[in-house]
């Protein structure tokens, strides 16, 4: 057996394999924890879709929250492979001018709820 000071060739290989096994185990645990995504209920998906659409409407350049009040009343959606196909009932109020209207908007929203593509 080859001896290098206090370390022998055998103990060097054992420490390398132990460290590698520990790294592999930690990597597997991280991979499994990231890969096991919680499935949202239908109500939670609807709530997230409403939040995404409201955020999209409020970030338009001409939106002034002091003059226009927007509320998403309900959402009907279909879960496709990459997006949610949605139809929203939206209430818009402009108190200064006494305007109050309810309309329908359609949009595709990504599965991560961060991208909204309006259809009309």
């Amino acid at each position: 057996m080859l001896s290098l000071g206090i370390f022998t060739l055998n103990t060097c290989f054992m420490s390398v394999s132990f460290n590698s096994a520990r790294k592999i185990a930690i990597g597997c645990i991280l991979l499994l924890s990231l890969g096991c995504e919680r499935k949202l209920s239908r109500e939670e998906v609807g709530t997230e879709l409403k939040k995404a659409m409201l955020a999209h409407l409020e970030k338009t350049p001409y939106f002034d929250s002091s003059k226009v009040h927007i509320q998403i009343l309900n959402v009907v959606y279909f879960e496709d492979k990459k997006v949610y196909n949605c139809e929203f009932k939206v209430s818009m109020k402009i108190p200064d001018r006494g305007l109050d209207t309810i309309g329908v908007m359609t949009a595709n929203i990504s599965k991560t709820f961060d991208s909204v593509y309006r259809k009309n």
Side-chain angles (χ1 to χ4, degrees):
M1 190 168 294
L2 181 63
S3 178
L4 302 171
I6 57 172
F7 295 106
T8 63
L9 186 60
N10 193 15
T11 59
C12 288
F13 284 125
M14 286 176 44
S15 65
V16 170
S17 65
F18 178 72
N19 286 336
S20 296
R22 186 171 48 174
K23 288 178 185 177
I24 290 172
I26 291 171
C28 288
I29 291 170
L30 286 174
L31 184 64
L32 288 174
S33 66
L34 294 175
C36 297
E37 189 175 323
R38 185 175 74 91
K39 183 122 172 105
L40 297 175
S41 70
R42 240 176 120 72
E43 292 81 20
E44 291 171 325
V45 170
T47 302
E48 291 298 318
L49 291 171
K50 287 180 183 181
K51 286 181 190 176
M53 185 63 170
L54 187 59
H56 174 74
L57 292 172
E58 290 178 345
K59 75 174 184 180
T60 59
Y62 304 110
F63 180 76
D64 184 1
S65 62
S66 66
K67 295 180 181 178
V68 179
H69 302 285
I70 296 175
Q71 182 181 9
I72 307 290
L73 301 176
N74 77 354
V75 59
V76 178
Y77 67 91
F78 170 75
E79 185 175 354
D80 208 357
K81 290 181 181 179
K82 295 183 180 180
V83 296
Y84 292 101
N85 296 323
C86 307
E87 182 176 288
F88 297 93
K89 187 182 283 187
V90 180
S91 169
M92 183 179 74
K93 296 178 182 179
I94 305 175
D96 295 345
R97 296 199 288 182
L99 296 175
D100 181 10
T101 186
I102 295 177
V104 175
M105 294 182 180
T106 56
N108 287 336
I109 299 180
S110 67
K111 295 278 185 136
T112 56
F113 306 107
D114 59 355
S115 299
V116 178
Y117 306 100
R118 289 270 313 271
K119 294 181 187 178
N120 62 355

